[in-house]
Amino acid sequence: MAPATDMPQLVIDAEHFTRVVSQGILQAKLSIDIATADFKAMLVPDGGGRRAVSIVRVLEKLARRGVEIRLLHAGTPSSAALVDLKRALPEKLTIRRCPRLHAKAVIIDCAWMYLGSANLTGAGLGAKGQGRRNFEWGICTTWPALIDGVLEQFNALWEGHRCTDCRRKDICPVPLEEPEL
């Protein structure tokens, strides 16, 4: 995982891939909690550096190793992500959808966090080329109070505590619906 420091560190543009994916997601040992408005089958190194595979396959591999993964997103995953998801999901990889979610966070092992503007996409996390990726800003931190605060909000959404008063039930008739595979 990235160097430990309580002081939040600014992450800009292409740095997102290194910090969030390489030093964050790929290093998880216990858990990954992801909040993202958009979810696509971004290509990432397979860990051995030989080839790139879909982030869905990377998450599946981590889940099979025992990492508990919760992915909360707002929309329908990209068609490429859906193809990967249609295979049997490992027990430790759970995906839920909340159409009102716009927050972006990645929390690794409840000890390291990215909080910023980038979605879980190649353009958002800097996996695309210079002229094709988004301009993104975020912070990485190991500050427990900030991580705990974001996890509290994540858990409130994940557990459906915000569904009772939601006024968007017309587009989300089933609270925290699982993706239709």
Side-chain angles (χ1 to χ4, degrees):
M1 208 169 334
T5 176
D6 284 350
M7 179 65 74
Q9 299 170 338
L10 181 62
V11 180
I12 301 171
D13 300 337
E15 294 174 26
H16 279 78
F17 191 82
T18 300
R19 298 299 304 278
V20 177
V21 179
S22 299
Q23 296 175 348
I25 292 171
L26 295 177
Q27 303 304 313
K29 304 287 184 241
L30 303 171
S31 64
I32 304 173
D33 294 305
I34 299 170
T36 183
D38 197 8
F39 173 44
K40 295 184 178 175
M42 169 181 62
L43 295 177
V44 300
D46 69 355
R50 294 183 308 269
R51 60 187 171 95
V53 297
S54 163
I55 188 70
V56 175
R57 298 239 171 123
V58 169
L59 295 174
E60 288 172 345
K61 183 177 178 180
L62 288 165
R64 285 190 192 94
R65 284 197 331 229
V67 177
E68 187 80 32
I69 302 169
R70 299 186 300 170
L71 172 61
L72 184 60
H73 68 101
T76 303
S78 68
S79 58
L82 282 172
V83 167
D84 283 344
L85 290 169
K86 287 186 182 198
R87 297 176 301 128
L89 288 179
E91 184 177 312
K92 292 195 176 274
L93 173 55
T94 308
I95 300 172
R96 292 187 177 163
R97 188 175 81 90
C98 173
R100 288 183 59 194
L101 179 69
H102 199 258
K104 289 91 175 174
V106 177
I107 302 168
I108 307 296
D109 300 336
C110 297
W112 179 91
M113 178 177 68
Y114 164 78
L115 182 64
S117 63
N119 282 305
L120 192 65
T121 65
L125 289 176
K128 296 214 177 249
Q130 174 67 25
R132 297 188 62 210
R133 62 178 161 256
N134 298 342
F135 300 120
E136 304 283 2
W137 305 327
I139 60 166
C140 291
T141 187
T142 58
W143 189 20
L146 186 54
I147 294 170
D148 290 348
V150 172
L151 271 173
E152 183 178 331
Q153 295 301 311
F154 183 96
N155 287 331
L157 287 174
W158 187 263
E159 295 166 6
H161 298 301
R162 306 283 301 270
C163 295
T164 305
D165 298 325
C166 181
R167 294 188 177 171
R168 303 278 321 264
K169 291 186 181 177
D170 58 322
I171 62 169
C172 184
V174 180
L176 297 173
E177 60 187 324
E178 302 286 335
E180 291 190 28
L181 305 176

